[in-house]
Amino acid sequence: MRHTALIAAASLTLAACGGASTDADGDGEISMAEAAAQSADMVRPQPGQYRATVEFVDIDIPDAPQQVQDMMRGMFDQGPQVHEYCLTQEEADKGFEEMARQAQDNDDCTFEKFDAAGGQIDAIMNCKAEGQGMARMTMKGTGNETSSDMTMTVDAEGPDGRTMTMTMTSAQERIGDCDA
């Protein structure tokens, strides 16, 4: 579940926003396939060398003792995590649609909301994995062909009923051409 949510967040963060989505089959959920179809008009990111910065903002575990919450904050709050990567032309061309197509075999996640227009995204994705609990990820941000900024909040409930809320930010910026 965590892997799928992170892939979706990374792909959405890279894809500049355009077009708005709807629940095409009227079942009250926006599947990965429906989100892929609605994202066909999204502006593609330019290929090139990117710098990604992910930063932990907060974590709240209401049922946990303060020392456990402090320990969890210490594990996650390592300051901004920065890495660079090369986005090839082939990867840029695939965009969000390809990621969604690959995730279609995984019925763990659907979108409750997927609005993307005018360089902004406002999405809510719900994931449930057998025996692992459930998570609701809210994603809000902006993007264009060379950069994006997003805030993601994950509300998770474990199989034991314990809850946790974690917020992080992600920024990506094209910094040049890929090294040959």
Side-chain angles (χ1 to χ4, degrees):
M1 174 169 51
R2 172 191 270 219
H3 178 69
T4 302
L6 292 177
I7 289 172
S11 296
L12 288 169
T13 299
L14 279 175
C17 308
S21 89
T22 60
D23 177 15
D25 61 11
D27 69 354
E29 295 180 334
I30 301 165
S31 68
M32 292 299 238
E34 288 169 326
Q38 293 300 320
S39 66
D41 293 336
M42 286 178 145
V43 175
R44 301 283 187 237
Q46 290 180 5
Q49 188 73 17
Y50 280 80
R51 178 177 296 124
T53 305
V54 177
E55 188 167 9
F56 168 82
V57 176
D58 193 25
I59 189 167
D60 181 36
I61 311 168
D63 296 335
Q66 188 62 45
Q67 73 183 62
V68 171
Q69 291 194 44
D70 292 344
M71 180 186 72
M72 293 295 288
R73 278 190 186 88
M75 285 176 30
F76 286 103
D77 193 8
Q78 303 293 316
Q81 301 297 303
V82 179
H83 75 279
E84 293 183 9
Y85 62 94
C86 175
L87 183 70
T88 66
Q89 182 68 55
E90 180 182 29
E91 292 165 334
D93 288 345
K94 288 180 181 178
F96 178 67
E97 297 101 301
E98 179 63 22
M99 184 282 302
R101 271 192 277 286
Q102 292 175 0
Q104 285 178 24
D105 292 336
N106 181 353
D107 293 329
D108 290 348
C109 298
T110 59
F111 285 97
E112 176 182 327
K113 176 180 185 178
F114 185 84
D115 294 326
Q120 297 186 17
I121 189 160
D122 185 2
I124 300 171
M125 184 170 58
N126 295 303
C127 299
K128 183 176 182 178
E130 189 68 36
Q132 296 181 18
M134 54 190 306
R136 183 175 194 255
M137 180 184 284
T138 303
M139 299 168 272
K140 291 186 181 211
T142 60
N144 59 45
E145 293 178 335
T146 60
S147 67
S148 66
D149 288 293
M150 185 173 296
T151 298
M152 296 163 280
T153 301
V154 179
D155 292 303
E157 181 178 330
D160 61 358
R162 290 187 183 224
T163 61
M164 173 184 82
T165 299
M166 183 168 60
T167 303
M168 66 192 92
T169 60
S170 172
Q172 306 206 23
E173 177 183 21
R174 187 179 189 280
I175 56 174
D177 294 330
C178 295
D179 294 334

